[in-house]
Amino acid sequence: ISAGVYVLFMRIQKIPFVINKYSLLSGFFLTGVFVFFIAANKLTTSANAIVLQYSAPIFILILSAIIFKQKFRRGDILTVTATSIGISLFFFDKISAGYITGNLLALLAGLFFAAMFVTTGRADDKSRSSGILLGHLFTAIIGVPFVFIYSTPVNTVTVLTILALGIFQLGIPYVLYGMAARHCSALACSLISAIEPLLNPLWVFIFDGEMPGFYAIAGGSVVITAVVAWTVWSARTLDSAGTEAENSTDSNTNKKPG
């Protein structure tokens, strides 16, 4: 269903489907995110799975430094650290020990999530969109056969849930991510996406009246503050760098030959 949503987006935007290194790698990594996260939810607590998957920003720093020799600013590292602490604090009451296999799978989901951000961030629009579509298609190919292996109830609730997940949880969000990745770095996309799990208790509070606990409010505040502060700081840093470059160019242009 989510693949169908993305196909519709590509047709409307007239983005051609291509097969190349970046689209295949993006599809492979995105499939790993989905498969490992689902498996982790079966073998560990949902809180563990979410917290460990959103270790992705840490892996982005590591992968970019090792593979692309990219140097990150101190502010990037501090923001990633604060975000990781905030997410952990957010789920502090629910994080459980044990569940080693599930926790390792959730960490793999985080690693693949980071690799997906890095790969799609370096791809052009055609390769990025094709890779995201392939990720959904590969996941469907892997997942659909399990319907025939395990007892799967088919009723109104199940159908509506699958439609909601396919359209609103995966389809539309990945359309928006594909558009955002044209303008944002892999680290920016990863950090901003960390706000997603924090909205869970907000929806529960709005629709069910359940008040978030102290740790949830504290953790959410840390993450949102860190991400907003980092975004503003990055924008100002880029503006400052651009101004300095313009001034340097003007200065060189105005120099007269001796």
Side-chain angles (χ1 to χ4, degrees):
I1 291 168
S2 57
V5 172
Y6 212 87
V7 167
L8 182 62
F9 163 72
M10 291 179 69
R11 288 180 66 93
I12 292 173
Q13 293 286 307
K14 297 180 180 179
I15 301 173
F17 177 77
V18 297
I19 295 290
N20 57 35
K21 177 180 70 174
Y22 281 106
S23 65
L24 288 173
L25 283 174
S26 298
F28 172 72
F29 290 134
L30 186 56
T31 301
V33 175
F34 293 148
V35 172
F36 289 133
F37 181 72
I38 292 169
N41 266 282
K42 292 291 184 182
L43 298 172
T44 187
T45 64
S46 59
N48 285 15
I50 293 171
V51 169
L52 293 172
Q53 176 180 311
Y54 280 94
S55 61
I58 299 172
F59 286 120
I60 287 177
L61 295 181
I62 296 171
L63 291 175
S64 298
I66 293 175
I67 298 174
F68 302 109
K69 310 301 180 184
Q70 184 174 347
K71 293 182 179 180
F72 288 93
R73 301 163 297 181
R74 185 179 299 175
D76 298 330
I77 297 170
L78 289 174
T79 304
V80 169
T81 303
T83 303
S84 302
I85 292 172
I87 293 175
S88 300
L89 187 64
F90 182 81
F91 291 99
F92 188 78
D93 290 328
K94 300 178 182 178
I95 293 177
S96 304
Y99 306 107
I100 293 177
T101 302
N103 291 343
L104 288 175
L105 288 172
L107 271 176
L108 278 175
L111 175 60
F112 273 65
F113 210 15
M116 186 277 294
F117 280 124
V118 171
T119 307
T120 54
R122 290 179 172 269
D124 59 27
D125 208 28
K126 294 182 293 185
S127 301
R128 181 187 307 110
S129 294
S130 300
I132 292 173
L133 176 58
L134 284 173
H136 289 88
L137 291 174
F138 291 160
T139 306
I141 292 171
I142 294 171
V144 167
F146 285 92
V147 172
F148 306 101
I149 298 173
Y150 296 97
S151 176
T152 306
V154 179
N155 51 48
T156 303
V157 174
T158 304
V159 172
L160 290 176
T161 301
I162 291 173
L163 285 172
L165 289 171
I167 297 171
F168 298 106
Q169 171 65 18
L170 293 176
I172 294 175
Y174 272 96
V175 166
L176 296 175
Y177 167 67
M179 297 168 66
R182 299 169 182 170
H183 312 286
C184 296
S185 67
L187 185 59
C189 289
S190 179
L191 286 171
I192 293 170
S193 72
I195 296 173
E196 177 197 354
L198 310 184
L199 293 175
N200 177 272
L202 176 62
W203 306 137
V204 173
F205 173 69
I206 292 173
F207 294 105
D208 198 39
E210 180 182 325
M211 186 68 183
F214 169 78
Y215 289 110
I217 295 174
S221 300
V222 169
V223 172
I224 293 174
T225 301
V227 172
V228 170
W230 178 85
T231 303
V232 173
W233 171 72
S234 292
R236 288 181 176 177
T237 302
L238 287 174
D239 288 342
S240 176
T243 302
E244 287 179 5
E246 288 178 5
N247 292 338
S248 176
T249 301
D250 292 340
S251 176
N252 291 332
T253 303
N254 293 330
K255 284 182 179 178
K256 295 180 180 180

